[in-house]
Amino acid sequence: MKKIMLLAAAVVFSTAAFAQGDKTTVRDETTGAKTTVSERDNGTVKVESRTGRTKAGQKAYNTKEDVKYAGKKTGNAVERGAKKTGSAVKKGAKAVKNKTEDVVD
């Protein structure tokens, strides 16, 4: 009896999971609003809507994006400067080595 109940429960849960059908998402780029429509195989339809960001939320998002961009730009500048400094040090060390060899000869 217990095995039959467990088997029936497994079939019910697998059927419910299988009933989840296609999901369609539509986003309005101007406001940021998002609507998701889920159509299940058993005929039911589920609609979820999210409104876009508020003005304060949009300002916070823009600030975050600006900081991220500035960080990338600064990181690239630091990397380039380090490469230039490294190559200059290498060139200077090579010149010193050449002068040392000339004096010894």
Coordinates of all heavy atoms in Angstrom, one line a residue:
M1 N 0.8 -1.2 0.0 CA 0.0 0.0 0.0 C 0.9 1.3 0.0 O 0.6 2.2 -0.7 CB -0.9 -0.1 1.2 CG -1.9 1.1 1.3 SD -3.1 0.8 0.0 CE -4.2 2.1 0.4
K2 N 1.9 1.2 0.8 CA 2.8 2.4 0.9 C 3.5 2.6 -0.5 O 3.7 3.8 -0.9 CB 3.9 2.2 2.0 CG 3.3 2.3 3.4 CD 4.5 2.2 4.4 CE 3.9 2.2 5.8 NZ 5.0 2.0 6.8
K3 N 3.9 1.6 -1.1 CA 4.6 1.7 -2.4 C 3.6 2.3 -3.5 O 4.0 3.1 -4.3 CB 5.1 0.3 -2.9 CG 6.2 -0.2 -2.1 CD 6.7 -1.5 -2.7 CE 7.8 -2.1 -1.9 NZ 8.3 -3.4 -2.3
I4 N 2.3 1.9 -3.4 CA 1.4 2.5 -4.4 C 1.2 4.0 -4.1 O 1.2 4.8 -5.0 CB 0.0 1.8 -4.2 CG1 0.2 0.3 -4.7 CG2 -1.1 2.5 -5.0 CD1 -1.0 -0.5 -4.5
M5 N 1.1 4.4 -2.8 CA 1.0 5.8 -2.5 C 2.2 6.6 -2.9 O 2.1 7.7 -3.5 CB 0.8 6.0 -1.0 CG -0.6 5.5 -0.5 SD -2.0 6.3 -1.2 CE -1.8 7.9 -0.4
L6 N 3.4 6.1 -2.7 CA 4.6 6.8 -3.1 C 4.7 6.9 -4.7 O 5.1 7.9 -5.2 CB 5.9 6.0 -2.6 CG 6.1 6.1 -1.1 CD1 7.3 5.2 -0.7 CD2 6.4 7.6 -0.7
L7 N 4.3 5.8 -5.3 CA 4.3 5.9 -6.8 C 3.3 6.9 -7.3 O 3.6 7.7 -8.2 CB 3.9 4.5 -7.4 CG 4.0 4.3 -8.9 CD1 5.4 4.6 -9.4 CD2 3.6 2.9 -9.3
A8 N 2.1 6.9 -6.7 CA 1.1 7.9 -7.1 C 1.6 9.3 -6.9 O 1.4 10.2 -7.7 CB -0.2 7.6 -6.4
A9 N 2.2 9.6 -5.7 CA 2.7 10.9 -5.4 C 3.8 11.3 -6.4 O 3.8 12.5 -6.9 CB 3.3 10.9 -4.0
A10 N 4.7 10.4 -6.8 CA 5.7 10.7 -7.8 C 5.1 11.0 -9.1 O 5.6 12.0 -9.8 CB 6.6 9.5 -7.9
V11 N 4.1 10.3 -9.5 CA 3.4 10.6 -10.8 C 2.7 12.0 -10.8 O 2.8 12.7 -11.7 CB 2.4 9.5 -11.1 CG1 1.5 9.9 -12.3 CG2 3.1 8.2 -11.4
V12 N 2.1 12.3 -9.7 CA 1.4 13.6 -9.5 C 2.4 14.8 -9.6 O 2.2 15.7 -10.4 CB 0.6 13.7 -8.2 CG1 0.2 15.1 -7.9 CG2 -0.6 12.8 -8.3
F13 N 3.6 14.6 -8.9 CA 4.6 15.7 -8.9 C 5.2 15.8 -10.3 O 5.5 16.9 -10.8 CB 5.6 15.5 -7.8 CG 5.1 15.8 -6.5 CD1 5.1 14.9 -5.5 CD2 4.7 17.1 -6.2 CE1 4.7 15.2 -4.2 CE2 4.3 17.5 -4.9 CZ 4.2 16.5 -3.9
S14 N 5.5 14.7 -10.9 CA 6.1 14.8 -12.3 C 5.2 15.4 -13.3 O 5.6 16.1 -14.2 CB 6.6 13.4 -12.7 OG 5.5 12.5 -12.9
T15 N 3.9 15.1 -13.1 CA 2.9 15.7 -14.1 C 2.8 17.2 -13.8 O 2.7 17.9 -14.8 CB 1.5 15.0 -13.8 OG1 1.6 13.6 -14.0 CG2 0.5 15.5 -14.8
A16 N 2.8 17.6 -12.6 CA 2.8 19.0 -12.3 C 4.0 19.8 -12.9 O 3.9 20.9 -13.4 CB 2.6 19.3 -10.8
A17 N 5.1 19.1 -12.7 CA 6.4 19.8 -13.2 C 6.3 19.8 -14.8 O 6.8 20.7 -15.4 CB 7.6 19.0 -12.8
F18 N 5.8 18.8 -15.4 CA 5.7 18.7 -16.8 C 4.7 19.7 -17.4 O 4.8 20.1 -18.5 CB 5.3 17.3 -17.3 CG 5.3 17.1 -18.7 CD1 6.5 17.1 -19.5 CD2 4.1 16.9 -19.4 CE1 6.5 16.9 -20.8 CE2 4.1 16.8 -20.8 CZ 5.3 16.8 -21.5
A19 N 3.7 20.0 -16.6 CA 2.6 20.9 -17.0 C 3.2 22.4 -17.3 O 2.5 23.2 -17.9 CB 1.5 21.0 -16.0
Q20 N 4.3 22.7 -16.7 CA 4.9 24.0 -17.0 C 5.3 24.1 -18.4 O 6.1 23.4 -18.9 CB 6.2 24.2 -16.1 CG 5.9 24.1 -14.6 CD 5.0 25.1 -14.1 OE1 5.0 26.3 -14.5 NE2 4.2 24.8 -13.1
G21 N 4.7 25.1 -19.1 CA 4.9 25.2 -20.5 C 5.8 26.3 -20.9 O 6.8 26.6 -20.2
D22 N 5.5 27.0 -22.0 CA 6.3 28.1 -22.5 C 6.2 29.3 -21.7 O 5.2 29.6 -21.1 CB 6.0 28.4 -24.0 CG 6.2 27.2 -24.9 OD1 7.1 26.4 -24.6 OD2 5.4 27.0 -25.8
K23 N 7.3 30.1 -21.7 CA 7.4 31.3 -20.9 C 7.8 32.4 -21.9 O 8.8 32.3 -22.6 CB 8.4 31.2 -19.8 CG 8.3 32.4 -18.8 CD 9.3 32.2 -17.7 CE 8.7 31.7 -16.5 NZ 9.5 31.7 -15.3
T24 N 7.0 33.5 -22.0 CA 7.3 34.6 -22.9 C 7.5 35.8 -22.0 O 6.7 36.2 -21.2 CB 6.1 34.8 -23.8 OG1 5.8 33.6 -24.5 CG2 6.5 35.9 -24.9
T25 N 8.6 36.6 -22.3 CA 8.9 37.8 -21.5 C 9.0 39.0 -22.5 O 9.6 38.9 -23.5 CB 10.2 37.7 -20.8 OG1 10.2 36.5 -19.9 CG2 10.5 38.9 -19.9
V26 N 8.2 40.0 -22.1 CA 8.2 41.3 -22.9 C 8.7 42.4 -22.0 O 8.2 42.6 -20.9 CB 6.8 41.6 -23.4 CG1 6.8 42.8 -24.2 CG2 6.3 40.4 -24.3
R27 N 9.7 43.2 -22.5 CA 10.2 44.2 -21.7 C 10.1 45.6 -22.5 O 10.4 45.7 -23.6 CB 11.7 44.0 -21.4 CG 12.3 45.0 -20.5 CD 13.8 44.7 -20.2 NE 14.2 45.6 -19.3 CZ 14.6 45.3 -18.0 NH1 14.6 44.1 -17.7 NH2 15.0 46.3 -17.2
D28 N 9.6 46.6 -21.8 CA 9.4 47.9 -22.4 C 10.7 48.7 -22.0 O 11.0 48.9 -20.8 CB 8.2 48.6 -21.8 CG 8.0 50.0 -22.4 OD1 8.7 50.3 -23.4 OD2 7.2 50.7 -21.8
E29 N 11.5 49.0 -23.0 CA 12.8 49.6 -22.8 C 12.7 51.0 -22.2 O 13.6 51.5 -21.5 CB 13.7 49.6 -24.1 CG 14.0 48.2 -24.6 CD 14.9 47.5 -23.6 OE1 15.7 48.1 -22.9 OE2 14.7 46.2 -23.5
T30 N 11.7 51.7 -22.6 CA 11.6 53.1 -22.1 C 11.3 53.2 -20.6 O 11.9 54.0 -19.9 CB 10.5 53.9 -22.8 OG1 9.3 53.2 -22.7 CG2 10.9 54.0 -24.3
T31 N 10.4 52.4 -20.1 CA 10.1 52.4 -18.7 C 10.8 51.3 -17.9 O 10.9 51.4 -16.6 CB 8.6 52.3 -18.5 OG1 8.2 51.0 -19.0 CG2 7.8 53.4 -19.2
G32 N 11.2 50.3 -18.5 CA 11.8 49.2 -17.8 C 10.8 48.2 -17.3 O 11.2 47.2 -16.6
A33 N 9.6 48.3 -17.6 CA 8.5 47.4 -17.2 C 8.7 46.1 -17.9 O 9.1 46.0 -19.0 CB 7.1 48.0 -17.4
K34 N 8.4 45.0 -17.1 CA 8.6 43.7 -17.7 C 7.3 42.8 -17.4 O 6.8 42.8 -16.3 CB 9.8 43.0 -17.0 CG 10.2 41.7 -17.6 CD 11.6 41.3 -17.1 CE 11.5 40.6 -15.8 NZ 12.7 39.9 -15.3
T35 N 6.8 42.1 -18.5 CA 5.7 41.3 -18.3 C 6.1 39.9 -18.8 O 6.6 39.7 -19.9 CB 4.5 41.8 -19.2 OG1 4.2 43.2 -18.8 CG2 3.3 41.0 -19.0
T36 N 5.8 38.9 -17.9 CA 6.1 37.5 -18.2 C 4.8 36.7 -18.3 O 4.0 36.8 -17.4 CB 7.0 36.9 -17.1 OG1 8.1 37.7 -17.0 CG2 7.4 35.5 -17.5
V37 N 4.6 36.0 -19.4 CA 3.4 35.2 -19.6 C 3.8 33.8 -19.7 O 4.6 33.4 -20.5 CB 2.6 35.6 -20.8 CG1 1.4 34.7 -21.0 CG2 2.2 37.1 -20.8
S38 N 3.2 32.9 -18.8 CA 3.5 31.5 -18.8 C 2.3 30.8 -19.2 O 1.2 30.9 -18.6 CB 4.0 31.0 -17.4 OG 5.1 31.7 -17.0
E39 N 2.4 30.0 -20.3 CA 1.3 29.1 -20.7 C 1.6 27.7 -20.4 O 2.6 27.2 -20.9 CB 1.1 29.3 -22.2 CG 0.7 30.7 -22.6 CD 0.5 30.9 -24.1 OE1 0.3 29.9 -24.8 OE2 0.7 32.0 -24.6
R40 N 0.7 27.0 -19.7 CA 0.9 25.7 -19.3 C 0.2 24.7 -20.3 O -0.7 25.1 -20.9 CB 0.5 25.4 -17.9 CG 1.2 26.3 -16.9 CD 0.9 25.9 -15.5 NE 1.6 26.7 -14.5 CZ 1.1 27.5 -13.6 NH1 -0.2 27.7 -13.6 NH2 1.9 28.2 -12.8
D41 N 0.7 23.5 -20.3 CA 0.0 22.5 -21.2 C -1.4 22.2 -20.8 O -2.2 21.8 -21.6 CB 0.8 21.2 -21.1 CG 2.2 21.4 -21.8 OD1 2.4 22.3 -22.6 OD2 3.1 20.6 -21.4
N42 N -1.8 22.4 -19.5 CA -3.1 22.1 -19.1 C -4.1 23.2 -19.4 O -5.2 23.2 -19.0 CB -3.2 21.7 -17.6 CG -2.7 22.8 -16.7 OD1 -2.4 23.9 -17.2 ND2 -2.6 22.5 -15.4
G43 N -3.6 24.3 -20.0 CA -4.5 25.4 -20.5 C -4.5 26.6 -19.6 O -5.1 27.6 -20.0
T44 N -3.9 26.5 -18.4 CA -3.9 27.7 -17.6 C -2.8 28.7 -18.0 O -1.8 28.3 -18.6 CB -3.6 27.3 -16.1 OG1 -2.4 26.6 -16.0 CG2 -4.7 26.4 -15.6
V45 N -3.0 30.0 -17.8 CA -2.1 31.0 -18.1 C -1.8 31.8 -16.9 O -2.6 32.2 -16.1 CB -2.7 32.0 -19.2 CG1 -1.8 33.1 -19.5 CG2 -3.1 31.2 -20.4
K46 N -0.5 32.1 -16.7 CA 0.0 32.9 -15.5 C 0.7 34.1 -16.1 O 1.6 34.0 -16.9 CB 1.0 32.0 -14.7 CG 1.5 32.8 -13.5 CD 2.4 31.9 -12.7 CE 3.0 32.6 -11.5 NZ 4.0 31.8 -10.9
V47 N 0.3 35.3 -15.6 CA 0.8 36.6 -16.1 C 1.5 37.3 -14.8 O 0.8 37.5 -13.8 CB -0.3 37.5 -16.7 CG1 0.4 38.8 -17.1 CG2 -0.9 36.8 -17.9
E48 N 2.7 37.6 -15.0 CA 3.4 38.4 -13.9 C 3.9 39.7 -14.5 O 4.5 39.7 -15.6 CB 4.7 37.6 -13.4 CG 4.3 36.4 -12.7 CD 5.6 35.7 -12.2 OE1 6.5 36.4 -11.7 OE2 5.7 34.5 -12.5
S49 N 3.6 40.8 -13.8 CA 4.1 42.1 -14.3 C 4.9 42.8 -13.3 O 4.6 42.7 -12.1 CB 2.9 43.0 -14.6 OG 2.1 42.4 -15.7
R50 N 6.0 43.4 -13.7 CA 6.8 44.2 -12.9 C 6.9 45.6 -13.5 O 7.2 45.7 -14.7 CB 8.2 43.6 -12.8 CG 8.3 42.4 -11.9 CD 9.8 42.1 -11.7 NE 9.9 41.7 -10.3 CZ 11.1 41.3 -9.8 NH1 12.2 41.3 -10.6 NH2 11.2 40.9 -8.6
T51 N 6.8 46.6 -12.7 CA 6.9 48.0 -13.2 C 8.4 48.3 -13.3 O 9.2 47.6 -12.7 CB 6.2 49.0 -12.2 OG1 6.8 48.9 -10.9 CG2 4.7 48.7 -12.1
G52 N 8.7 49.4 -14.0 CA 10.1 49.8 -14.2 C 10.6 50.4 -12.9 O 10.0 50.5 -11.9
R53 N 11.8 51.0 -13.0 CA 12.4 51.6 -11.9 C 11.8 53.0 -11.7 O 11.3 53.7 -12.6 CB 13.9 51.9 -12.2 CG 14.7 50.6 -12.3 CD 16.2 51.0 -12.4 NE 17.0 49.8 -12.4 CZ 17.4 49.2 -13.5 NH1 17.1 49.7 -14.7 NH2 18.1 48.1 -13.5
T54 N 11.9 53.4 -10.4 CA 11.4 54.8 -10.1 C 12.5 55.7 -10.5 O 13.6 55.3 -10.9 CB 11.2 54.9 -8.6 OG1 12.4 54.6 -7.9 CG2 10.1 53.9 -8.1
K55 N 12.3 57.0 -10.4 CA 13.3 58.0 -10.8 C 14.6 57.8 -9.9 O 15.7 57.9 -10.4 CB 12.8 59.4 -10.7 CG 11.8 59.7 -11.8 CD 11.3 61.1 -11.7 CE 10.4 61.4 -12.9 NZ 9.9 62.8 -12.9
A56 N 14.3 57.6 -8.6 CA 15.5 57.5 -7.7 C 16.2 56.2 -8.0 O 17.4 56.2 -8.0 CB 15.0 57.5 -6.2
G57 N 15.5 55.1 -8.3 CA 16.1 53.9 -8.6 C 16.9 54.0 -9.9 O 18.0 53.4 -10.0
Q58 N 16.4 54.7 -10.9 CA 17.1 54.9 -12.2 C 18.4 55.7 -11.9 O 19.4 55.4 -12.5 CB 16.2 55.6 -13.2 CG 16.8 55.7 -14.6 CD 17.1 54.3 -15.2 OE1 16.2 53.5 -15.1 NE2 18.2 54.2 -15.8
K59 N 18.3 56.7 -11.1 CA 19.5 57.5 -10.8 C 20.6 56.7 -10.1 O 21.8 56.8 -10.4 CB 19.2 58.7 -9.9 CG 18.5 59.8 -10.7 CD 18.3 61.1 -9.9 CE 17.7 62.1 -10.7 NZ 17.5 63.4 -10.0
A60 N 20.1 55.8 -9.2 CA 21.1 54.9 -8.5 C 21.7 54.0 -9.5 O 22.9 53.7 -9.4 CB 20.4 54.2 -7.4
Y61 N 20.9 53.4 -10.4 CA 21.4 52.5 -11.4 C 22.4 53.2 -12.3 O 23.5 52.7 -12.6 CB 20.3 51.9 -12.2 CG 20.7 51.0 -13.3 CD1 21.1 49.7 -13.1 CD2 20.7 51.5 -14.6 CE1 21.5 48.9 -14.1 CE2 21.1 50.7 -15.7 CZ 21.5 49.4 -15.4 OH 21.9 48.6 -16.5
N62 N 22.1 54.4 -12.7 CA 23.0 55.2 -13.6 C 24.3 55.5 -12.9 O 25.4 55.4 -13.5 CB 22.3 56.5 -14.1 CG 21.2 56.3 -15.0 OD1 21.1 55.2 -15.6 ND2 20.4 57.3 -15.2
T63 N 24.2 55.8 -11.6 CA 25.4 56.1 -10.8 C 26.3 54.8 -10.8 O 27.5 54.9 -10.9 CB 25.1 56.6 -9.4 OG1 24.2 57.7 -9.5 CG2 26.3 56.9 -8.6
K64 N 25.7 53.7 -10.5 CA 26.4 52.4 -10.4 C 27.1 52.2 -11.8 O 28.3 51.8 -11.8 CB 25.5 51.3 -10.1 CG 26.2 50.0 -10.0 CD 25.2 48.8 -9.9 CE 24.7 48.5 -11.3 NZ 24.6 47.2 -11.7
E65 N 26.4 52.4 -12.9 CA 27.0 52.1 -14.2 C 28.2 53.1 -14.5 O 29.2 52.7 -15.0 CB 26.0 52.2 -15.3 CG 24.9 51.1 -15.3 CD 25.5 49.8 -15.5 OE1 26.3 49.6 -16.5 OE2 25.2 48.8 -14.7
D66 N 28.0 54.4 -14.1 CA 29.1 55.3 -14.3 C 30.3 55.0 -13.5 O 31.4 55.1 -13.9 CB 28.6 56.7 -13.9 CG 27.6 57.3 -14.8 OD1 27.4 56.7 -15.9 OD2 26.9 58.3 -14.5
V67 N 30.1 54.5 -12.2 CA 31.3 54.1 -11.4 C 32.0 52.9 -12.0 O 33.2 52.9 -12.0 CB 30.8 53.8 -9.9 CG1 31.8 53.1 -9.1 CG2 30.3 55.1 -9.3
K68 N 31.2 52.0 -12.5 CA 31.8 50.8 -13.1 C 32.6 51.2 -14.3 O 33.7 50.7 -14.5 CB 30.7 49.8 -13.5 CG 31.1 48.5 -14.0 CD 30.0 47.5 -14.0 CE 29.4 47.4 -15.3 NZ 28.4 46.3 -15.4
Y69 N 32.1 52.1 -15.2 CA 32.8 52.6 -16.4 C 34.1 53.3 -16.0 O 35.1 53.1 -16.6 CB 31.9 53.5 -17.2 CG 32.6 54.1 -18.4 CD1 32.9 53.3 -19.5 CD2 32.9 55.4 -18.4 CE1 33.5 53.8 -20.6 CE2 33.5 56.0 -19.5 CZ 33.8 55.2 -20.6 OH 34.4 55.7 -21.7
A70 N 34.0 54.2 -15.0 CA 35.2 54.9 -14.5 C 36.2 54.0 -14.0 O 37.4 54.2 -14.2 CB 34.8 56.0 -13.5
G71 N 35.8 53.0 -13.2 CA 36.7 52.0 -12.7 C 37.5 51.2 -13.8 O 38.7 51.0 -13.7
K72 N 36.8 50.9 -14.8 CA 37.4 50.2 -15.9 C 38.4 51.1 -16.6 O 39.5 50.7 -17.0 CB 36.4 49.7 -17.0 CG 35.6 48.5 -16.5 CD 34.6 48.1 -17.6 CE 33.8 46.9 -17.2 NZ 32.9 46.4 -18.2
K73 N 38.0 52.3 -16.8 CA 38.9 53.3 -17.5 C 40.2 53.5 -16.7 O 41.3 53.5 -17.2 CB 38.1 54.6 -17.7 CG 38.5 55.3 -18.9 CD 37.5 56.4 -19.2 CE 38.1 57.2 -20.4 NZ 37.3 58.3 -20.8
T74 N 40.0 53.7 -15.4 CA 41.1 53.9 -14.5 C 42.0 52.7 -14.5 O 43.3 52.8 -14.5 CB 40.6 54.2 -13.0 OG1 39.8 55.3 -13.1 CG2 41.8 54.5 -12.1
G75 N 41.4 51.5 -14.4 CA 42.2 50.3 -14.4 C 43.1 50.1 -15.7 O 44.2 49.7 -15.6
N76 N 42.5 50.5 -16.8 CA 43.2 50.4 -18.1 C 44.4 51.4 -18.1 O 45.5 51.1 -18.5 CB 42.3 50.7 -19.3 CG 41.4 49.5 -19.5 OD1 41.7 48.4 -19.1 ND2 40.3 49.7 -20.3
A77 N 44.2 52.6 -17.5 CA 45.2 53.6 -17.5 C 46.4 53.1 -16.6 O 47.5 53.3 -16.9 CB 44.7 54.9 -17.0
V78 N 46.0 52.6 -15.4 CA 47.0 52.1 -14.5 C 47.8 50.9 -15.1 O 49.1 50.9 -15.0 CB 46.4 51.6 -13.2 CG1 47.4 50.8 -12.3 CG2 45.9 52.8 -12.4
E79 N 47.1 50.0 -15.8 CA 47.8 48.9 -16.5 C 48.8 49.4 -17.5 O 49.9 49.0 -17.6 CB 46.8 48.0 -17.1 CG 47.4 46.8 -17.7 CD 46.3 45.9 -18.4 OE1 45.2 46.4 -18.7 OE2 46.7 44.7 -18.8
R80 N 48.3 50.3 -18.3 CA 49.2 50.9 -19.4 C 50.4 51.6 -18.8 O 51.5 51.4 -19.3 CB 48.3 51.9 -20.3 CG 49.1 52.4 -21.5 CD 48.1 53.2 -22.4 NE 48.8 54.0 -23.3 CZ 49.3 53.6 -24.4 NH1 49.2 52.4 -24.8 NH2 50.0 54.5 -25.2
G81 N 50.2 52.4 -17.8 CA 51.3 53.0 -17.1 C 52.3 52.1 -16.6 O 53.5 52.3 -16.7
A82 N 51.8 51.0 -16.0 CA 52.7 50.0 -15.4 C 53.5 49.3 -16.5 O 54.7 49.0 -16.3 CB 51.9 48.9 -14.6
K83 N 52.9 49.0 -17.6 CA 53.6 48.4 -18.7 C 54.7 49.3 -19.3 O 55.8 48.9 -19.6 CB 52.6 48.0 -19.9 CG 51.8 46.8 -19.5 CD 50.9 46.5 -20.7 CE 50.0 45.2 -20.4 NZ 49.1 45.0 -21.5
K84 N 54.4 50.6 -19.4 CA 55.3 51.6 -19.9 C 56.5 51.7 -18.9 O 57.7 51.8 -19.4 CB 54.7 53.0 -20.1 CG 53.8 53.1 -21.3 CD 53.1 54.4 -21.3 CE 53.7 55.2 -22.4 NZ 52.9 56.5 -22.6
T85 N 56.2 51.8 -17.6 CA 57.3 51.9 -16.6 C 58.2 50.6 -16.7 O 59.4 50.7 -16.6 CB 56.7 52.1 -15.2 OG1 55.8 53.2 -15.3 CG2 57.7 52.2 -14.2
G86 N 57.5 49.5 -16.8 CA 58.3 48.2 -16.8 C 59.2 48.2 -18.0 O 60.4 47.8 -17.9
S87 N 58.7 48.6 -19.2 CA 59.6 48.6 -20.4 C 60.7 49.6 -20.2 O 61.8 49.3 -20.7 CB 58.8 48.8 -21.6 OG 58.2 50.1 -21.6
A88 N 60.4 50.7 -19.6 CA 61.5 51.7 -19.4 C 62.6 51.2 -18.5 O 63.8 51.4 -18.7 CB 60.9 53.0 -18.9
V89 N 62.2 50.6 -17.4 CA 63.1 50.0 -16.5 C 64.0 48.9 -17.2 O 65.2 48.9 -17.0 CB 62.4 49.4 -15.2 CG1 63.3 48.6 -14.4 CG2 61.8 50.6 -14.4
K90 N 63.3 48.1 -17.9 CA 64.0 47.1 -18.7 C 65.1 47.7 -19.6 O 66.2 47.2 -19.7 CB 63.0 46.2 -19.4 CG 63.4 44.9 -19.9 CD 62.2 44.2 -20.5 CE 62.5 42.8 -20.9 NZ 61.4 42.1 -21.5
K91 N 64.6 48.7 -20.3 CA 65.5 49.4 -21.3 C 66.7 50.0 -20.6 O 67.9 49.9 -21.0 CB 64.7 50.4 -22.1 CG 65.5 51.1 -23.2 CD 64.6 52.0 -24.0 CE 65.3 52.7 -25.1 NZ 64.5 53.7 -25.8
G92 N 66.5 50.6 -19.4 CA 67.5 51.3 -18.7 C 68.5 50.2 -18.1 O 69.7 50.4 -18.1
A93 N 68.0 49.1 -17.7 CA 68.8 48.1 -17.1 C 69.7 47.5 -18.2 O 70.9 47.2 -18.0 CB 68.0 47.0 -16.5
K94 N 69.2 47.4 -19.4 CA 69.9 46.8 -20.5 C 71.0 47.8 -20.9 O 72.2 47.4 -21.2 CB 69.0 46.6 -21.7 CG 69.6 45.8 -22.9 CD 68.5 45.6 -23.9 CE 69.1 44.8 -25.0 NZ 68.2 44.5 -26.1
A95 N 70.8 49.1 -20.9 CA 71.8 50.1 -21.2 C 72.9 50.1 -20.2 O 74.1 50.2 -20.5 CB 71.1 51.5 -21.3
V96 N 72.6 50.0 -18.9 CA 73.6 49.9 -17.9 C 74.4 48.7 -18.1 O 75.7 48.7 -17.9 CB 72.9 49.9 -16.5 CG1 73.9 49.6 -15.4 CG2 72.3 51.3 -16.2
K97 N 73.8 47.6 -18.4 CA 74.6 46.3 -18.6 C 75.6 46.5 -19.8 O 76.7 46.1 -19.7 CB 73.6 45.2 -18.9 CG 74.3 43.8 -19.2 CD 73.2 42.8 -19.5 CE 73.9 41.5 -19.9 NZ 73.0 40.5 -20.5
N98 N 75.1 47.1 -20.9 CA 76.0 47.3 -22.0 C 77.2 48.2 -21.6 O 78.3 48.0 -22.1 CB 75.2 48.0 -23.2 CG 74.3 47.0 -23.8 OD1 74.4 45.8 -23.7 ND2 73.3 47.5 -24.6
K99 N 76.9 49.3 -20.9 CA 78.0 50.2 -20.5 C 79.0 49.4 -19.6 O 80.2 49.6 -19.7 CB 77.5 51.4 -19.7 CG 76.9 52.5 -20.6 CD 76.6 53.7 -19.8 CE 76.2 54.8 -20.8 NZ 75.9 56.0 -20.1
T100 N 78.5 48.6 -18.7 CA 79.4 47.8 -17.8 C 80.3 46.9 -18.6 O 81.5 46.8 -18.3 CB 78.5 47.0 -16.8 OG1 77.6 47.9 -16.2 CG2 79.4 46.4 -15.8
E101 N 79.8 46.3 -19.6 CA 80.6 45.4 -20.4 C 81.6 46.2 -21.2 O 82.7 45.7 -21.4 CB 79.7 44.6 -21.4 CG 78.8 43.5 -20.7 CD 77.9 42.8 -21.7 OE1 77.8 43.2 -22.9 OE2 77.2 41.9 -21.2
D102 N 81.3 47.4 -21.7 CA 82.2 48.2 -22.4 C 83.4 48.6 -21.5 O 84.6 48.6 -21.9 CB 81.6 49.4 -23.0 CG 80.6 49.1 -24.1 OD1 80.7 48.0 -24.7 OD2 79.7 49.9 -24.4
V103 N 83.1 48.9 -20.3 CA 84.2 49.4 -19.4 C 85.1 48.2 -19.0 O 86.3 48.4 -19.0 CB 83.6 50.0 -18.1 CG1 84.6 50.2 -17.0 CG2 82.8 51.2 -18.4
V104 N 84.6 47.0 -18.9 CA 85.4 45.9 -18.5 C 86.3 45.5 -19.7 O 87.4 45.1 -19.5 CB 84.5 44.7 -18.1 CG1 85.3 43.4 -17.9 CG2 83.7 45.0 -16.9
D105 N 85.8 45.6 -20.9 CA 86.6 45.2 -22.0 C 87.8 46.1 -22.1 O 88.9 46.1 -22.2 CB 85.8 45.3 -23.3 CG 84.8 44.2 -23.4 OD1 84.9 43.2 -22.7 OD2 83.8 44.4 -24.1

